[in-house]
Amino acid sequence: MKNKNHLCFDLDGVLIDSIDLMKYCWENTANRFNIANSFEEFSSLIGLPLTSITSYLNLSNSNEIIEHYKKLSYENLEKIKIHKDTISILNSLSKNYKLSIYTSKTQERVEKILDLFFKSVNFDSVLASDDVLHPKPKPDGLIKICALVNSTLEETIYIGDTIYDFEASREAGVDFIYASWGYGKVENFKYKIVNLKELLKIV
């Protein structure tokens, strides 16, 4: 992949393992609000903002549900895991590329996660779902973050793990690398890696 200067990463499932946290938050929230949808149904929509997930699940009083879920998530970030090599790989990549994050999480939670796990990584920009009018799978976020880091869509690679990441990349005209260890199943991809270290060989 030539003539690239910007690597943009999804967060959940790619840079962090947050599945235990999401399971805890959803099951607690479902119990509190008598929601019948299982975590399996919820997890099939991972990659979308919470507002979109509650809409897909046709949940009433979604604002209360979202606020409760977000509060639990913010208070239990210690349930997140990160691979031991992630920081060193990102720092190695940062020598030759601009690094950014575009995630469906909200900015408040992203900032806390960065403070807990990624203090030593110099991301050029971080974009959350509440920073754009139309989040994933729309292309708006990728278009915006390219402008923020002074790169172009053609010079950018998005590394994601869900169909929503793939669709956003396709709509934006950004090359996509499928992080197959994550939470989603993507087909018809051009590039695939089985761990973050493989990225060093592709770019």
Side-chain angles (χ1 to χ4, degrees), residues 49 51-52 102 104 128-130 132-141:
T51 50
S52 299
Y102 174 43
S104 289
S129 62
D130 46 352
V132 294
L133 183 60
H134 303 293
K136 301 177 197 175
K138 298 295 184 182
D140 303 36

mmCIF file of all heavy atoms in Angstrom, residues 49 51-52 102 104 128-130 132-141:
data_model
loop_
_atom_site.group_PDB
_atom_site.id
_atom_site.type_symbol
_atom_site.label_atom_id
_atom_site.label_comp_id
_atom_site.label_asym_id
_atom_site.label_seq_id
_atom_site.Cartn_x
_atom_site.Cartn_y
_atom_site.Cartn_z
ATOM 1 N N PRO A 49 -22.941 3.552 16.923
ATOM 2 C CA PRO A 49 -23.140 4.307 18.161
ATOM 3 C C PRO A 49 -24.305 3.731 18.956
ATOM 4 O O PRO A 49 -25.201 3.091 18.403
ATOM 5 C CB PRO A 49 -23.461 5.721 17.668
ATOM 6 C CG PRO A 49 -23.002 5.764 16.250
ATOM 7 C CD PRO A 49 -23.120 4.374 15.720
ATOM 8 N N THR A 51 -26.814 5.182 20.181
ATOM 9 C CA THR A 51 -28.094 5.719 19.706
ATOM 10 C C THR A 51 -28.648 4.887 18.552
ATOM 11 O O THR A 51 -29.851 4.630 18.481
ATOM 12 C CB THR A 51 -27.935 7.179 19.252
ATOM 13 O OG1 THR A 51 -26.821 7.277 18.347
ATOM 14 C CG2 THR A 51 -27.686 8.096 20.442
ATOM 15 N N SER A 52 -27.767 4.446 17.670
ATOM 16 C CA SER A 52 -28.202 3.617 16.541
ATOM 17 C C SER A 52 -28.594 2.220 17.005
ATOM 18 O O SER A 52 -29.554 1.632 16.494
ATOM 19 C CB SER A 52 -27.085 3.531 15.499
ATOM 20 O OG SER A 52 -26.766 4.803 14.985
ATOM 21 N N TYR A 102 -10.877 6.806 15.004
ATOM 22 C CA TYR A 102 -12.272 7.180 14.746
ATOM 23 C C TYR A 102 -13.149 6.057 15.286
ATOM 24 O O TYR A 102 -13.112 4.929 14.792
ATOM 25 C CB TYR A 102 -12.536 7.409 13.256
ATOM 26 C CG TYR A 102 -13.999 7.650 12.946
ATOM 27 C CD1 TYR A 102 -14.763 8.485 13.763
ATOM 28 C CD2 TYR A 102 -14.620 7.027 11.873
ATOM 29 C CE1 TYR A 102 -16.118 8.686 13.507
ATOM 30 C CE2 TYR A 102 -15.968 7.244 11.600
ATOM 31 C CZ TYR A 102 -16.706 8.075 12.423
ATOM 32 O OH TYR A 102 -18.046 8.278 12.168
ATOM 33 N N SER A 104 -16.980 4.747 17.447
ATOM 34 C CA SER A 104 -18.394 5.002 17.732
ATOM 35 C C SER A 104 -18.642 5.272 19.210
ATOM 36 O O SER A 104 -19.777 5.535 19.614
ATOM 37 C CB SER A 104 -19.258 3.818 17.270
ATOM 38 O OG SER A 104 -19.300 3.768 15.861
ATOM 39 N N ALA A 128 -14.803 10.967 17.869
ATOM 40 C CA ALA A 128 -15.822 10.099 18.454
ATOM 41 C C ALA A 128 -17.153 10.304 17.748
ATOM 42 O O ALA A 128 -17.314 11.202 16.921
ATOM 43 C CB ALA A 128 -15.966 10.394 19.948
ATOM 44 N N SER A 129 -18.130 9.459 18.098
ATOM 45 C CA SER A 129 -19.423 9.510 17.404
ATOM 46 C C SER A 129 -20.143 10.836 17.617
ATOM 47 O O SER A 129 -20.889 11.292 16.750
ATOM 48 C CB SER A 129 -20.309 8.350 17.871
ATOM 49 O OG SER A 129 -20.576 8.442 19.264
ATOM 50 N N ASP A 130 -19.934 11.451 18.787
ATOM 51 C CA ASP A 130 -20.616 12.710 19.049
ATOM 52 C C ASP A 130 -19.892 13.916 18.459
ATOM 53 O O ASP A 130 -20.294 15.061 18.674
ATOM 54 C CB ASP A 130 -20.873 12.905 20.551
ATOM 55 C CG ASP A 130 -19.678 12.585 21.428
ATOM 56 O OD1 ASP A 130 -18.679 12.068 20.911
ATOM 57 O OD2 ASP A 130 -19.750 12.847 22.646
ATOM 58 N N VAL A 132 -19.490 14.020 15.110
ATOM 59 C CA VAL A 132 -19.980 14.095 13.732
ATOM 60 C C VAL A 132 -21.498 14.032 13.711
ATOM 61 O O VAL A 132 -22.120 13.417 14.582
ATOM 62 C CB VAL A 132 -19.394 12.956 12.850
ATOM 63 C CG1 VAL A 132 -17.894 13.125 12.674
ATOM 64 C CG2 VAL A 132 -19.699 11.588 13.441
ATOM 65 N N LEU A 133 -22.082 14.649 12.713
ATOM 66 C CA LEU A 133 -23.543 14.653 12.597
ATOM 67 C C LEU A 133 -24.059 13.283 12.174
ATOM 68 O O LEU A 133 -25.090 12.813 12.664
ATOM 69 C CB LEU A 133 -23.983 15.717 11.581
ATOM 70 C CG LEU A 133 -25.491 15.909 11.395
ATOM 71 C CD1 LEU A 133 -26.140 16.332 12.721
ATOM 72 C CD2 LEU A 133 -25.756 16.957 10.317
ATOM 73 N N HIS A 134 -23.324 12.633 11.253
ATOM 74 C CA HIS A 134 -23.723 11.318 10.751
ATOM 75 C C HIS A 134 -22.590 10.322 11.004
ATOM 76 O O HIS A 134 -21.638 10.248 10.230
ATOM 77 C CB HIS A 134 -24.041 11.388 9.260
ATOM 78 C CG HIS A 134 -25.102 12.390 8.909
ATOM 79 N ND1 HIS A 134 -26.413 12.242 9.291
ATOM 80 C CD2 HIS A 134 -25.032 13.563 8.230
ATOM 81 C CE1 HIS A 134 -27.117 13.268 8.852
ATOM 82 N NE2 HIS A 134 -26.307 14.093 8.217
ATOM 83 N N PRO A 135 -22.661 9.540 12.096
ATOM 84 C CA PRO A 135 -21.596 8.579 12.423
ATOM 85 C C PRO A 135 -21.626 7.344 11.526
ATOM 86 O O PRO A 135 -22.400 7.276 10.565
ATOM 87 C CB PRO A 135 -21.878 8.235 13.882
ATOM 88 C CG PRO A 135 -23.339 8.473 14.063
ATOM 89 C CD PRO A 135 -23.709 9.583 13.128
ATOM 90 N N LYS A 136 -20.790 6.371 11.825
ATOM 91 C CA LYS A 136 -20.725 5.140 11.038
ATOM 92 C C LYS A 136 -22.121 4.528 10.910
ATOM 93 O O LYS A 136 -22.903 4.591 11.859
ATOM 94 C CB LYS A 136 -19.805 4.107 11.712
ATOM 95 C CG LYS A 136 -18.379 4.545 11.917
ATOM 96 C CD LYS A 136 -17.630 3.439 12.654
ATOM 97 C CE LYS A 136 -16.345 3.919 13.253
ATOM 98 N NZ LYS A 136 -15.675 2.888 14.060
ATOM 99 N N PRO A 137 -22.438 3.951 9.770
ATOM 100 C CA PRO A 137 -21.559 3.636 8.628
ATOM 101 C C PRO A 137 -21.423 4.751 7.590
ATOM 102 O O PRO A 137 -20.895 4.508 6.516
ATOM 103 C CB PRO A 137 -22.240 2.413 8.015
ATOM 104 C CG PRO A 137 -23.699 2.641 8.282
ATOM 105 C CD PRO A 137 -23.763 3.309 9.629
ATOM 106 N N LYS A 138 -21.885 5.954 7.908
ATOM 107 C CA LYS A 138 -21.706 7.082 6.995
ATOM 108 C C LYS A 138 -20.223 7.461 6.944
ATOM 109 O O LYS A 138 -19.477 7.204 7.888
ATOM 110 C CB LYS A 138 -22.548 8.276 7.440
ATOM 111 C CG LYS A 138 -24.051 8.027 7.452
ATOM 112 C CD LYS A 138 -24.561 7.790 6.049
ATOM 113 C CE LYS A 138 -26.081 7.648 6.029
ATOM 114 N NZ LYS A 138 -26.605 7.367 4.674
ATOM 115 N N PRO A 139 -19.785 8.085 5.869
ATOM 116 C CA PRO A 139 -18.353 8.387 5.697
ATOM 117 C C PRO A 139 -17.895 9.673 6.369
ATOM 118 O O PRO A 139 -16.699 9.975 6.372
ATOM 119 C CB PRO A 139 -18.225 8.513 4.182
ATOM 120 C CG PRO A 139 -19.550 9.045 3.743
ATOM 121 C CD PRO A 139 -20.561 8.397 4.657
ATOM 122 N N ASP A 140 -18.822 10.420 6.982
ATOM 123 C CA ASP A 140 -18.508 11.759 7.477
ATOM 124 C C ASP A 140 -17.294 11.802 8.402
ATOM 125 O O ASP A 140 -16.459 12.701 8.316
ATOM 126 C CB ASP A 140 -19.717 12.343 8.214
ATOM 127 C CG ASP A 140 -20.958 12.403 7.353
ATOM 128 O OD1 ASP A 140 -21.162 11.485 6.532
ATOM 129 O OD2 ASP A 140 -21.752 13.347 7.498
ATOM 130 N N GLY A 141 -17.219 10.840 9.324
ATOM 131 C CA GLY A 141 -16.136 10.841 10.297
ATOM 132 C C GLY A 141 -14.770 10.667 9.667
ATOM 133 O O GLY A 141 -13.802 11.338 10.054
#
